[in-house]
Amino acid sequence: MRIQVETAAETVADFYKNGEILLTGGTGFMGKLMIDKILRSFPDINNIYLMVRNKRGLTPEERVEKIFKTAIFDPLNREVPDFRSKIKLIPADIESENLGLSPENKKLLLSKVNIVFHCAASVRFDEELQIGVKTNLYATSQMLNLAKQCPHLKMFIYVSTAFSHFKMRTNVEEKLYKPDSSYRELIQVLKLSPNDPELKQLKKKYSKENANTYCLTKAASEELLSEEGRSYPVCIFRPSIVISTAKDPIPGWIDNLYGPTGLVCGAQAGIIRSVLADPDVKADIVPVDFVANALVCAPWDARQRYQKDNSSMPVYNYVSSKDNPITWSDFSIKSQMAQLRNPSSQGLWHCFVLLTRHRTIYCLHNLLLHYLFGYIFDTCAWISGNKFRLLPIYDKMGKVVSALEPFSTKEWIFDNHNVQHMWNQLSPFEQNQFPFNIESLNWDDYLDKYVQGLLVHHLNDKMDLETRKKAKKRYKRLTIAHQCVKSLLYVSVVLLIWSLLNYILWRFKDSYISYLNTRFPHLRSKVTPVE
């Protein structure tokens, strides 16, 4: 089915006017920002259709009701109090055949939808191969098939990742690449049983082709779109490592501990002290509200390109390393400085983090700074009857560090010409409404808000004056304790070395003097054993 080309929208608002928007992943991190941004920016849209499944004992209705009570939607509730009238819940399961849609809902979507955002994905790096393929690749295939049947489709937007071709390239342009294994081959793993020996062999094979299941399936999904979505209005959006909001709708908001966020949060709590990362490598980190702003504008820009050439499939690399780079060392230092200004009122120890690019050194740090501390703490907790344990946390953090290692020890060169062009096409009013120019981001201010957000949203801390005063007093005591322990360790090491040298000197004194007398007999009268 071919889509009829329409006249290009003059503005982003014109593009979304009377929009019937289908969104997957609406209950996820990115999806929540998209719902908020669209509803607060475009009063003339008709509806947003949220595809939501049952999960963890909650119905789609209960899940949606729950997310609208989160802090991120407070501004939306104030500015657009009747926004829920434009939210249409569609019970579905993108991993099921035909997306788990009822005939009525499928008919509704086909007759109404004109913009599709496919944001849903399994972002776990250690996801099982079959689960990752089903959630990320098979679901994308089904979503594309649905979109191709929509007669009013203006654009299908697929959210991929800047690291989709991790092992293939270090210079990533805004174009489509062919992965080592085709999506047709990869999707066949769904036909294998979990215990099939062939599946084990395929896991080994695919692990050599990409960093993890997430990147592997994203690369395959891009290939799927390039082949089966050609001549349809499709674009691909590739953000890098997405963390908290910078400003909009509230600063510092984040609802997960993925990627570096879990490590920063652990450091803030005084638990994490060493991370495997190359200090000189660029940390390609971007704020989620900047990403959402760019993602909202991407279909508008892609539509204009499609009207000029319906065989084009624009790719947008949304990254920070090109225009506003920050190294892992700077990220760590600035985060720690922010943590000093905003200490946790429940921190277990003084905050400090050591970065190393060498796994051997990291393992030594991990043993001495994490597990030794964890054993001591857990033993004391067990004696006192406290159920809190550190060792399970260190086990999880070890997995996080290992998963992040490919991204924290390797550097890429990204092209972002399409993103820059899109920004330059916006009017000054639109640039103010959808700020995604990463050059404008002040890392010090941003990371300060990032750390404050972790305090509030993950460490259940408060930012009122009284709590901050108590937190700083507590942190001062922890710092004094930290310095005392450091001094004690330094003195212990010096004494140990001194004792060892003394032992060696007295243990081998007579042998050494005998050697000198034998080797230099003319000195025998001068070198005699001391009684």
Side-chain angles (χ1 to χ4, degrees):
M1 178 179 180
R2 296 297 296 270
I3 307 299
Q4 185 176 357
V5 177
E6 301 172 359
T7 305
E10 294 182 0
T11 66
V12 179
D14 289 337
F15 174 80
Y16 281 95
K17 189 173 183 179
N18 299 320
E20 300 279 355
I21 303 167
L22 175 60
L23 174 66
T24 68
T27 59
F29 181 42
M30 183 79 70
K32 292 171 186 171
L33 265 292
M34 291 299 294
I35 294 171
D36 171 82
K37 192 64 184 181
I38 291 171
L39 289 173
R40 287 197 297 124
S41 303
F42 308 116
D44 292 334
I45 68 160
N46 291 340
N47 296 293
I48 296 180
Y49 301 92
L50 296 182
M51 294 179 70
V52 185
R53 62 173 175 170
N54 293 309
K55 189 175 182 181
R56 295 173 185 166
L58 296 178
T59 64
E61 293 79 9
E62 290 170 333
R63 291 183 66 196
V64 170
E65 186 65 26
K66 184 178 179 180
I67 69 164
F68 285 144
K69 291 180 180 178
T70 56
I72 195 67
F73 288 106
D74 288 346
L76 179 62
N77 277 297
R78 290 193 301 268
E79 296 174 24
V80 192
D82 63 339
F83 75 90
R84 295 197 191 192
S85 64
K86 295 190 176 184
I87 299 292
K88 307 301 179 186
L89 181 61
I90 305 294
D93 185 351
I94 60 173
E95 297 177 17
S96 300
E97 189 175 355
N98 295 319
L99 300 166
L101 292 170
S102 67
E104 296 77 16
N105 281 334
K106 183 175 181 179
K107 183 178 180 181
L108 172 67
L109 294 177
L110 293 180
S111 64
K112 294 286 187 179
V113 168
N114 52 23
I115 303 170
V116 179
F117 285 97
H118 182 34
C119 302
S122 169
V123 297
R124 287 184 55 183
F125 287 173
D126 59 347
E127 188 67 90
E128 282 294 323
L129 179 61
Q130 287 182 308
I131 296 175
V133 169
K134 195 166 190 178
T135 305
N136 295 346
L137 178 56
Y138 177 68
T140 301
S141 174
Q142 295 219 93
M143 286 300 301
L144 178 63
N145 288 336
L146 178 71
K148 287 161 71 172
Q149 298 175 59
C150 296
H152 309 296
L153 183 67
K154 295 167 72 174
M155 190 56 59
F156 177 94
I157 307 94
Y158 175 65
V159 180
S160 183
T161 172
F163 307 103
S164 54
H165 300 280
F166 177 87
K167 288 191 177 179
M168 289 178 60
R169 318 191 64 82
T170 54
N171 193 332
V172 182
E173 299 179 53
E174 290 177 307
K175 67 180 185 180
L176 296 164
Y177 297 100
K178 190 172 182 62
D180 291 337
S181 297
S182 72
Y183 72 93
R184 292 186 179 88
E185 176 187 340
L186 188 57
I187 209 165
Q188 296 303 312
V189 303
L190 297 179
K191 297 179 180 180
L192 302 176
S193 68
N195 298 321
D196 195 316
E198 185 181 351
L199 181 60
K200 295 180 180 179
Q201 294 299 319
L202 288 173
K203 287 180 180 179
K204 292 181 181 179
K205 174 190 174 184
Y206 294 137
S207 66
K208 297 177 182 178
E209 293 182 8
N210 221 315
N212 49 54
T213 306
Y214 175 65
C215 295
L216 176 74
T217 52
K218 286 295 185 181
S221 296
E222 288 187 13
E223 185 197 22
L224 164 77
L225 294 171
S226 69
E227 293 196 14
E228 299 189 11
R230 186 65 67 184
S231 79
Y232 286 88
V234 175
C235 70
I236 295 171
F237 189 85
R238 294 177 182 156
S240 53
I241 301 172
V242 184
I243 57 174
S244 77
T245 56
K247 180 181 178 181
D248 194 39
I250 56 176
W253 179 83
I254 187 169
D255 69 349
N256 64 75
L257 293 174
Y258 296 141
T261 299
L263 301 178
V264 174
C265 195
Q268 197 167 9
I271 296 173
I272 301 300
R273 300 174 191 86
S274 180
V275 174
L276 183 60
D278 189 330
D280 300 323
V281 163
K282 293 174 185 175
D284 217 307
I285 293 167
V286 288
V288 66
D289 50 336
F290 277 47
V291 174
N293 287 329
L295 183 54
V296 163
C297 296
W300 162 78
D301 182 73
R303 182 66 184 178
Q304 296 182 68
R305 295 169 183 264
Y306 179 77
Q307 289 169 337
K308 296 175 182 177
D309 178 9
N310 66 6
S311 65
S312 69
M313 188 175 292
V315 177
Y316 301 89
N317 289 340
Y318 192 78
V319 296
S320 63
S321 58
K322 179 73 180 292
D323 301 315
N324 193 0
I326 181 172
T327 63
W328 284 112
S329 176
D330 288 340
F331 174 77
S332 177
I333 292 170
K334 292 177 187 296
S335 297
Q336 289 179 67
M337 293 301 294
Q339 289 164 345
L340 291 176
R341 292 189 293 270
N342 305 280
S344 170
S345 63
Q346 306 168 62
L348 297 179
W349 200 249
H350 171 80
C351 172
F352 73 96
V353 176
L354 304 175
L355 299 186
T356 176
R357 63 175 64 87
H358 304 293
R359 175 162 276 280
T360 302
I361 296 176
Y362 166 73
C363 290
L364 183 62
H365 286 170
N366 198 30
L367 177 64
L368 298 177
L369 301 178
H370 291 163
Y371 279 95
L372 180 60
F373 178 80
Y375 276 114
I376 295 172
F377 181 91
D378 286 3
T379 300
C380 294
W382 176 73
I383 293 172
S384 63
N386 192 327
K387 294 183 179 180
F388 182 75
R389 296 291 184 270
L390 279 180
L391 291 179
I393 294 177
Y394 286 133
D395 289 338
K396 290 181 181 179
M397 288 301 175
K399 293 178 181 178
V400 172
V401 168
S402 295
L404 279 176
E405 180 183 359
F407 306 95
S408 60
T409 57
K410 182 179 177 180
E411 189 167 290
W412 291 262
I413 299 173
F414 290 104
D415 171 53
N416 64 346
H417 177 78
N418 287 344
V419 171
Q420 292 176 340
H421 176 269
M422 177 169 66
W423 173 255
N424 292 329
Q425 290 294 105
L426 295 174
S427 67
F429 173 79
E430 289 171 324
Q431 289 181 348
N432 184 62
Q433 187 179 19
F434 308 107
F436 63 82
N437 181 12
I438 201 69
E439 290 184 61
S440 67
L441 184 69
N442 182 299
W443 285 110
D444 291 287
D445 293 342
Y446 171 57
L447 292 176
D448 197 67
K449 294 183 178 71
Y450 175 52
V451 165
Q452 290 181 36
L454 292 179
L455 278 176
V456 174
H457 302 296
H458 289 286
L459 295 177
N460 299 318
D461 225 321
K462 296 179 181 178
M463 298 305 296
D464 62 275
L465 191 60
E466 186 64 25
T467 303
R468 292 296 88 218
K469 189 176 179 180
K470 290 180 180 178
K472 289 180 179 179
K473 284 184 178 180
R474 176 185 175 86
Y475 190 75
K476 187 176 181 180
R477 292 195 297 269
L478 291 174
T479 301
I480 292 172
H482 173 72
Q483 296 301 336
C484 289
V485 170
K486 273 178 63 177
S487 300
L488 183 62
L489 286 173
Y490 289 151
V491 170
S492 299
V493 170
V494 170
L495 290 176
L496 179 63
I497 294 173
W498 177 255
S499 299
L500 186 61
L501 289 174
N502 271 322
Y503 172 78
I504 293 172
L505 179 63
W506 288 99
R507 175 69 177 82
F508 297 101
K509 176 192 62 176
D510 292 341
S511 300
Y512 182 63
I513 291 175
S514 297
Y515 166 76
L516 289 178
N517 286 333
T518 304
R519 183 70 178 83
F520 306 102
H522 60 283
L523 297 176
R524 184 173 299 175
S525 61
K526 299 180 181 180
V527 182
T528 57
V530 179
E531 295 296 334

